[in-house]
Amino acid sequence: MSTRSSLARGRSRALIIALAGLLLAGSVAGCSVAGSIATGGEPNQPTQHPPSSGTDRPSQSPPPGSTGAKGFQPTQHDWAAIQALLKQRAKAVTGDDLGGFLATVDRTDPRLVASQRTLFANLQSLPVTSVRYTMRRFGLPTGRVSGAGPVLSPPVVEHVFLSGTDRRPVANEPHDTFVRRQGRWVLGAESDNGNSPSRPWGGPKIAVSERGPLIVVMDASQAGQLTALADRVVADLASVSADLHQADDSHVLVDATTSGQVSKMNDVGPAEAAAVTFPVSAEDAQGHPAGLAGWRIKINPHQIDELISNQVVLRHELTHYVLRRFTGDSPTWLTEGVANYVGYLPTVMPNFQVSSDFYTQLMAPPHQLPNSGVFDLYPQVDYLVGQAAVTYLVQHYGTDALLRLMQGYNAAGQPLNDTATPRLLKQVDGITLGQLVAGTYGLLGQLDH
C-alpha cells in the first residue's frame, strides 16, 4: 500500500477554531490528525504496509480479467520490459531528459502525454536527489487505456528522495497501467486517485519555494500566494519553536496543492479541515517498511488566504510538527490542547468570549478531561477543555514540565494513554488528576460570556 496508510490509521480529528460563539477567531477552520502519528508524534514503529514492490519476485499468474486482453498471459520478458521502462523513467527524471521520459509514454493519448509533461516539470522544479521505481510481478485491475492492446497494472512504488528535507526516499503508489504497442511496453495511464496524502508533483503544475530544508509547494495557478505562505510558515515555525523551547527544525514539506487527499482531511462534521500533519514512509526493495522518511503538513488549498491571514490555524499545525517527538503516546486532550494553546498565544483564555448557551454546555457536569476514545464527539467543547488544561499546567508548572509530561506518556509505551494520566501528573507536577480538572474548569469559568 502507499503512504495513505499513515494518514488513514486512527480517527481524524477536526480542530474547531471558532468555538461556538468564540469571537477571537473569525471563522471555522480545522486541522485533521491521525492518531498518535499525525498529532506530531514520532511513530513507535514504521507503519506496517503489506509488501508492494520488489524486483526479484517470481512471475505469478495475474487475477482473472486483470490483464486487459482476453487470454493474455504476461511472460518473464513482459515483466522485464516494464521494469526496464521504469528504470528509464527514473533515469530521465534525474538526468533532466524530457525526451527520454516521454519516450516511455503512450503517445496515442494526448491527455496522458500532457499530464506526464507536467509530472516531469514538477519533479524538475523540486530538489529531487534520486528517483527509483519498484514493482511486483502480477497484475491488478487496470486503469482505462485508450486503444487496444494487452495491458498490465502491477503494483508500482515510486521512491522520491528530497535529501535536504527528508531522511529517506518517500514511497508512493502512482497506480500505473502499462500497454503494449507494436511489441513495446509503454505507460498507458497513471492516477493515484487521491490515495497519496502528499504527492504534490502528481497533479497540476506546481510552484515551489525553498527556504533551506523547508519546501512549500502549491498549484502554479495560485503562485501569487506562494511567497506570503512561505514567509508565514517560516515566521510561525520560528515563533512556535521558541514558545516551546525547541530548536527551529524546518525539515518539512508544506503541501498546499490540490493533489492528494484534500477534501478527505476531516471526517468529523461537514467542515473541511484546514491542515494536517503526518509522517511519510519509506519502503525497501522488497516492499517492506523501511522507517520514517520525513514529515508533511498538508494544507487545504481552498483555505490558503485564511492560513496566511489567521495565525491560529497554522501555529496550531506547526505545534504538532515541532512536538512530533514528544506527543506520540500522549492523550488527545494534551496533544490538541497544547496545539490550541500555542496557536492562540499570546492571547490567554480569560480573554475569550463565548455565547451564553455554549458556556452553559461547556460548564455542565461531569467535569473531566475528554477521553481519547471519544474525543471529537463534542469537538467544540473537547478542544477548549484540552486547551484550558494545558494553559493551567503551563501557568503553574511551566513549558518544560509540560514537555516532561509528554515524554512520560512516551515512556509508558501505550498510544493515547489516558490511564497513565494520574500517575504522570503526580510524578511530574506533584498534583492529582482532580486538581488538574479543578484548575481546568476554574479557567473555563473565567471565560467572557
PDB file of all heavy atoms in Angstrom, residues 79-102:
ATOM      1  N   TRP A  79       7.466  -8.749 -18.106  1.00  0.00           N
ATOM      2  CA  TRP A  79       7.775  -8.119 -16.817  1.00  0.00           C
ATOM      3  C   TRP A  79       9.129  -7.413 -16.871  1.00  0.00           C
ATOM      4  O   TRP A  79       9.282  -6.298 -16.346  1.00  0.00           O
ATOM      5  CB  TRP A  79       7.777  -9.161 -15.700  1.00  0.00           C
ATOM      6  CG  TRP A  79       6.461  -9.796 -15.420  1.00  0.00           C
ATOM      7  CD1 TRP A  79       6.141 -11.111 -15.472  1.00  0.00           C
ATOM      8  CD2 TRP A  79       5.252  -9.117 -15.030  1.00  0.00           C
ATOM      9  NE1 TRP A  79       4.824 -11.315 -15.146  1.00  0.00           N
ATOM     10  CE2 TRP A  79       4.252 -10.105 -14.862  1.00  0.00           C
ATOM     11  CE3 TRP A  79       4.920  -7.788 -14.815  1.00  0.00           C
ATOM     12  CZ2 TRP A  79       2.953  -9.795 -14.476  1.00  0.00           C
ATOM     13  CZ3 TRP A  79       3.624  -7.472 -14.426  1.00  0.00           C
ATOM     14  CH2 TRP A  79       2.655  -8.477 -14.272  1.00  0.00           C
ATOM     15  N   ALA A  80      10.106  -8.027 -17.470  1.00  0.00           N
ATOM     16  CA  ALA A  80      11.435  -7.420 -17.572  1.00  0.00           C
ATOM     17  C   ALA A  80      11.385  -6.134 -18.391  1.00  0.00           C
ATOM     18  O   ALA A  80      12.077  -5.157 -18.088  1.00  0.00           O
ATOM     19  CB  ALA A  80      12.421  -8.413 -18.193  1.00  0.00           C
ATOM     20  N   ALA A  81      10.557  -6.122 -19.441  1.00  0.00           N
ATOM     21  CA  ALA A  81      10.440  -4.929 -20.273  1.00  0.00           C
ATOM     22  C   ALA A  81       9.836  -3.772 -19.486  1.00  0.00           C
ATOM     23  O   ALA A  81      10.257  -2.613 -19.634  1.00  0.00           O
ATOM     24  CB  ALA A  81       9.593  -5.232 -21.505  1.00  0.00           C
ATOM     25  N   ILE A  82       8.841  -4.050 -18.634  1.00  0.00           N
ATOM     26  CA  ILE A  82       8.232  -2.985 -17.832  1.00  0.00           C
ATOM     27  C   ILE A  82       9.211  -2.480 -16.774  1.00  0.00           C
ATOM     28  O   ILE A  82       9.313  -1.275 -16.520  1.00  0.00           O
ATOM     29  CB  ILE A  82       6.923  -3.493 -17.190  1.00  0.00           C
ATOM     30  CG1 ILE A  82       5.876  -3.761 -18.273  1.00  0.00           C
ATOM     31  CG2 ILE A  82       6.387  -2.472 -16.200  1.00  0.00           C
ATOM     32  CD1 ILE A  82       4.596  -4.372 -17.765  1.00  0.00           C
ATOM     33  N   GLN A  83       9.971  -3.397 -16.191  1.00  0.00           N
ATOM     34  CA  GLN A  83      10.973  -2.960 -15.226  1.00  0.00           C
ATOM     35  C   GLN A  83      12.035  -2.081 -15.890  1.00  0.00           C
ATOM     36  O   GLN A  83      12.477  -1.077 -15.318  1.00  0.00           O
ATOM     37  CB  GLN A  83      11.619  -4.172 -14.561  1.00  0.00           C
ATOM     38  CG  GLN A  83      10.687  -4.861 -13.570  1.00  0.00           C
ATOM     39  CD  GLN A  83      11.326  -6.050 -12.891  1.00  0.00           C
ATOM     40  OE1 GLN A  83      12.149  -6.747 -13.492  1.00  0.00           O
ATOM     41  NE2 GLN A  83      10.945  -6.307 -11.654  1.00  0.00           N
ATOM     42  N   ALA A  84      12.427  -2.425 -17.100  1.00  0.00           N
ATOM     43  CA  ALA A  84      13.387  -1.598 -17.830  1.00  0.00           C
ATOM     44  C   ALA A  84      12.781  -0.232 -18.140  1.00  0.00           C
ATOM     45  O   ALA A  84      13.470   0.793 -18.101  1.00  0.00           O
ATOM     46  CB  ALA A  84      13.808  -2.300 -19.123  1.00  0.00           C
ATOM     47  N   LEU A  85      11.505  -0.220 -18.455  1.00  0.00           N
ATOM     48  CA  LEU A  85      10.809   1.036 -18.717  1.00  0.00           C
ATOM     49  C   LEU A  85      10.828   1.931 -17.482  1.00  0.00           C
ATOM     50  O   LEU A  85      11.100   3.145 -17.572  1.00  0.00           O
ATOM     51  CB  LEU A  85       9.373   0.740 -19.132  1.00  0.00           C
ATOM     52  CG  LEU A  85       8.447   1.929 -19.384  1.00  0.00           C
ATOM     53  CD1 LEU A  85       8.766   2.552 -20.732  1.00  0.00           C
ATOM     54  CD2 LEU A  85       6.988   1.495 -19.338  1.00  0.00           C
ATOM     55  N   LEU A  86      10.556   1.365 -16.321  1.00  0.00           N
ATOM     56  CA  LEU A  86      10.564   2.137 -15.084  1.00  0.00           C
ATOM     57  C   LEU A  86      11.953   2.680 -14.778  1.00  0.00           C
ATOM     58  O   LEU A  86      12.111   3.822 -14.325  1.00  0.00           O
ATOM     59  CB  LEU A  86      10.058   1.273 -13.928  1.00  0.00           C
ATOM     60  CG  LEU A  86       8.572   0.898 -13.985  1.00  0.00           C
ATOM     61  CD1 LEU A  86       8.257  -0.165 -12.931  1.00  0.00           C
ATOM     62  CD2 LEU A  86       7.700   2.129 -13.779  1.00  0.00           C
ATOM     63  N   LYS A  87      12.956   1.877 -15.043  1.00  0.00           N
ATOM     64  CA  LYS A  87      14.323   2.330 -14.836  1.00  0.00           C
ATOM     65  C   LYS A  87      14.638   3.503 -15.764  1.00  0.00           C
ATOM     66  O   LYS A  87      15.305   4.477 -15.363  1.00  0.00           O
ATOM     67  CB  LYS A  87      15.298   1.179 -15.068  1.00  0.00           C
ATOM     68  CG  LYS A  87      16.745   1.533 -14.755  1.00  0.00           C
ATOM     69  CD  LYS A  87      17.651   0.306 -14.892  1.00  0.00           C
ATOM     70  CE  LYS A  87      19.094   0.644 -14.542  1.00  0.00           C
ATOM     71  NZ  LYS A  87      19.972  -0.556 -14.660  1.00  0.00           N
ATOM     72  N   GLN A  88      14.159   3.440 -16.997  1.00  0.00           N
ATOM     73  CA  GLN A  88      14.372   4.538 -17.948  1.00  0.00           C
ATOM     74  C   GLN A  88      13.680   5.813 -17.468  1.00  0.00           C
ATOM     75  O   GLN A  88      14.227   6.915 -17.590  1.00  0.00           O
ATOM     76  CB  GLN A  88      13.848   4.147 -19.326  1.00  0.00           C
ATOM     77  CG  GLN A  88      14.017   5.249 -20.385  1.00  0.00           C
ATOM     78  CD  GLN A  88      13.459   4.836 -21.742  1.00  0.00           C
ATOM     79  OE1 GLN A  88      13.179   3.660 -21.987  1.00  0.00           O
ATOM     80  NE2 GLN A  88      13.293   5.804 -22.631  1.00  0.00           N
ATOM     81  N   ARG A  89      12.483   5.681 -16.914  1.00  0.00           N
ATOM     82  CA  ARG A  89      11.764   6.852 -16.408  1.00  0.00           C
ATOM     83  C   ARG A  89      12.527   7.507 -15.266  1.00  0.00           C
ATOM     84  O   ARG A  89      12.669   8.735 -15.221  1.00  0.00           O
ATOM     85  CB  ARG A  89      10.362   6.444 -15.944  1.00  0.00           C
ATOM     86  CG  ARG A  89       9.408   6.162 -17.089  1.00  0.00           C
ATOM     87  CD  ARG A  89       8.083   5.569 -16.608  1.00  0.00           C
ATOM     88  NE  ARG A  89       7.307   6.471 -15.782  1.00  0.00           N
ATOM     89  CZ  ARG A  89       6.555   7.465 -16.247  1.00  0.00           C
ATOM     90  NH1 ARG A  89       6.502   7.726 -17.556  1.00  0.00           N
ATOM     91  NH2 ARG A  89       5.847   8.225 -15.422  1.00  0.00           N
ATOM     92  N   ALA A  90      13.035   6.711 -14.356  1.00  0.00           N
ATOM     93  CA  ALA A  90      13.778   7.262 -13.226  1.00  0.00           C
ATOM     94  C   ALA A  90      15.045   7.965 -13.693  1.00  0.00           C
ATOM     95  O   ALA A  90      15.370   9.067 -13.234  1.00  0.00           O
ATOM     96  CB  ALA A  90      14.121   6.143 -12.239  1.00  0.00           C
ATOM     97  N   LYS A  91      15.763   7.331 -14.620  1.00  0.00           N
ATOM     98  CA  LYS A  91      16.995   7.928 -15.134  1.00  0.00           C
ATOM     99  C   LYS A  91      16.712   9.231 -15.863  1.00  0.00           C
ATOM    100  O   LYS A  91      17.477  10.207 -15.765  1.00  0.00           O
ATOM    101  CB  LYS A  91      17.695   6.934 -16.066  1.00  0.00           C
ATOM    102  CG  LYS A  91      19.021   7.437 -16.627  1.00  0.00           C
ATOM    103  CD  LYS A  91      19.674   6.389 -17.518  1.00  0.00           C
ATOM    104  CE  LYS A  91      20.990   6.896 -18.090  1.00  0.00           C
ATOM    105  NZ  LYS A  91      21.622   5.871 -18.978  1.00  0.00           N
ATOM    106  N   ALA A  92      15.607   9.293 -16.588  1.00  0.00           N
ATOM    107  CA  ALA A  92      15.253  10.509 -17.314  1.00  0.00           C
ATOM    108  C   ALA A  92      14.954  11.657 -16.361  1.00  0.00           C
ATOM    109  O   ALA A  92      15.313  12.810 -16.621  1.00  0.00           O
ATOM    110  CB  ALA A  92      14.059  10.247 -18.221  1.00  0.00           C
ATOM    111  N   VAL A  93      14.279  11.358 -15.234  1.00  0.00           N
ATOM    112  CA  VAL A  93      13.966  12.417 -14.267  1.00  0.00           C
ATOM    113  C   VAL A  93      15.238  12.989 -13.671  1.00  0.00           C
ATOM    114  O   VAL A  93      15.441  14.206 -13.646  1.00  0.00           O
ATOM    115  CB  VAL A  93      13.042  11.880 -13.157  1.00  0.00           C
ATOM    116  CG1 VAL A  93      12.904  12.920 -12.042  1.00  0.00           C
ATOM    117  CG2 VAL A  93      11.669  11.539 -13.719  1.00  0.00           C
ATOM    118  N   THR A  94      16.123  12.141 -13.178  1.00  0.00           N
ATOM    119  CA  THR A  94      17.338  12.628 -12.542  1.00  0.00           C
ATOM    120  C   THR A  94      18.311  13.227 -13.549  1.00  0.00           C
ATOM    121  O   THR A  94      19.151  14.043 -13.191  1.00  0.00           O
ATOM    122  CB  THR A  94      18.031  11.501 -11.758  1.00  0.00           C
ATOM    123  OG1 THR A  94      18.276  10.391 -12.631  1.00  0.00           O
ATOM    124  CG2 THR A  94      17.154  11.049 -10.602  1.00  0.00           C
ATOM    125  N   GLY A  95      18.186  12.825 -14.827  1.00  0.00           N
ATOM    126  CA  GLY A  95      19.056  13.368 -15.863  1.00  0.00           C
ATOM    127  C   GLY A  95      18.459  14.536 -16.622  1.00  0.00           C
ATOM    128  O   GLY A  95      19.033  14.992 -17.614  1.00  0.00           O
ATOM    129  N   ASP A  96      17.277  15.018 -16.188  1.00  0.00           N
ATOM    130  CA  ASP A  96      16.594  16.144 -16.842  1.00  0.00           C
ATOM    131  C   ASP A  96      16.431  15.884 -18.336  1.00  0.00           C
ATOM    132  O   ASP A  96      16.705  16.728 -19.177  1.00  0.00           O
ATOM    133  CB  ASP A  96      17.365  17.454 -16.609  1.00  0.00           C
ATOM    134  CG  ASP A  96      16.541  18.684 -16.985  1.00  0.00           C
ATOM    135  OD1 ASP A  96      15.328  18.540 -17.219  1.00  0.00           O
ATOM    136  OD2 ASP A  96      17.125  19.777 -17.056  1.00  0.00           O
ATOM    137  N   ASP A  97      15.967  14.683 -18.652  1.00  0.00           N
ATOM    138  CA  ASP A  97      15.833  14.231 -20.040  1.00  0.00           C
ATOM    139  C   ASP A  97      14.349  14.071 -20.373  1.00  0.00           C
ATOM    140  O   ASP A  97      13.779  12.984 -20.245  1.00  0.00           O
ATOM    141  CB  ASP A  97      16.587  12.908 -20.214  1.00  0.00           C
ATOM    142  CG  ASP A  97      16.484  12.340 -21.628  1.00  0.00           C
ATOM    143  OD1 ASP A  97      15.948  13.031 -22.522  1.00  0.00           O
ATOM    144  OD2 ASP A  97      16.929  11.189 -21.829  1.00  0.00           O
ATOM    145  N   LEU A  98      13.714  15.160 -20.790  1.00  0.00           N
ATOM    146  CA  LEU A  98      12.287  15.116 -21.092  1.00  0.00           C
ATOM    147  C   LEU A  98      11.994  14.148 -22.228  1.00  0.00           C
ATOM    148  O   LEU A  98      11.027  13.384 -22.176  1.00  0.00           O
ATOM    149  CB  LEU A  98      11.774  16.516 -21.447  1.00  0.00           C
ATOM    150  CG  LEU A  98      10.316  16.606 -21.896  1.00  0.00           C
ATOM    151  CD1 LEU A  98       9.376  16.107 -20.805  1.00  0.00           C
ATOM    152  CD2 LEU A  98       9.968  18.039 -22.306  1.00  0.00           C
ATOM    153  N   GLY A  99      12.822  14.154 -23.269  1.00  0.00           N
ATOM    154  CA  GLY A  99      12.602  13.258 -24.391  1.00  0.00           C
ATOM    155  C   GLY A  99      12.631  11.802 -23.973  1.00  0.00           C
ATOM    156  O   GLY A  99      11.782  11.002 -24.383  1.00  0.00           O
ATOM    157  N   GLY A 100      13.603  11.445 -23.135  1.00  0.00           N
ATOM    158  CA  GLY A 100      13.700  10.078 -22.652  1.00  0.00           C
ATOM    159  C   GLY A 100      12.517   9.705 -21.779  1.00  0.00           C
ATOM    160  O   GLY A 100      12.047   8.569 -21.811  1.00  0.00           O
ATOM    161  N   PHE A 101      12.015  10.651 -21.018  1.00  0.00           N
ATOM    162  CA  PHE A 101      10.872  10.400 -20.154  1.00  0.00           C
ATOM    163  C   PHE A 101       9.607  10.172 -20.976  1.00  0.00           C
ATOM    164  O   PHE A 101       8.878   9.205 -20.765  1.00  0.00           O
ATOM    165  CB  PHE A 101      10.677  11.572 -19.195  1.00  0.00           C
ATOM    166  CG  PHE A 101       9.658  11.344 -18.120  1.00  0.00           C
ATOM    167  CD1 PHE A 101       9.954  10.572 -17.007  1.00  0.00           C
ATOM    168  CD2 PHE A 101       8.394  11.910 -18.221  1.00  0.00           C
ATOM    169  CE1 PHE A 101       9.007  10.361 -16.016  1.00  0.00           C
ATOM    170  CE2 PHE A 101       7.438  11.707 -17.241  1.00  0.00           C
ATOM    171  CZ  PHE A 101       7.745  10.931 -16.124  1.00  0.00           C
ATOM    172  N   LEU A 102       9.362  11.048 -21.955  1.00  0.00           N
ATOM    173  CA  LEU A 102       8.165  10.919 -22.777  1.00  0.00           C
ATOM    174  C   LEU A 102       8.229   9.707 -23.694  1.00  0.00           C
ATOM    175  O   LEU A 102       7.182   9.217 -24.156  1.00  0.00           O
ATOM    176  CB  LEU A 102       7.948  12.188 -23.592  1.00  0.00           C
ATOM    177  CG  LEU A 102       7.594  13.440 -22.786  1.00  0.00           C
ATOM    178  CD1 LEU A 102       7.391  14.629 -23.711  1.00  0.00           C
ATOM    179  CD2 LEU A 102       6.340  13.216 -21.938  1.00  0.00           C
TER     180      LEU A 102
END
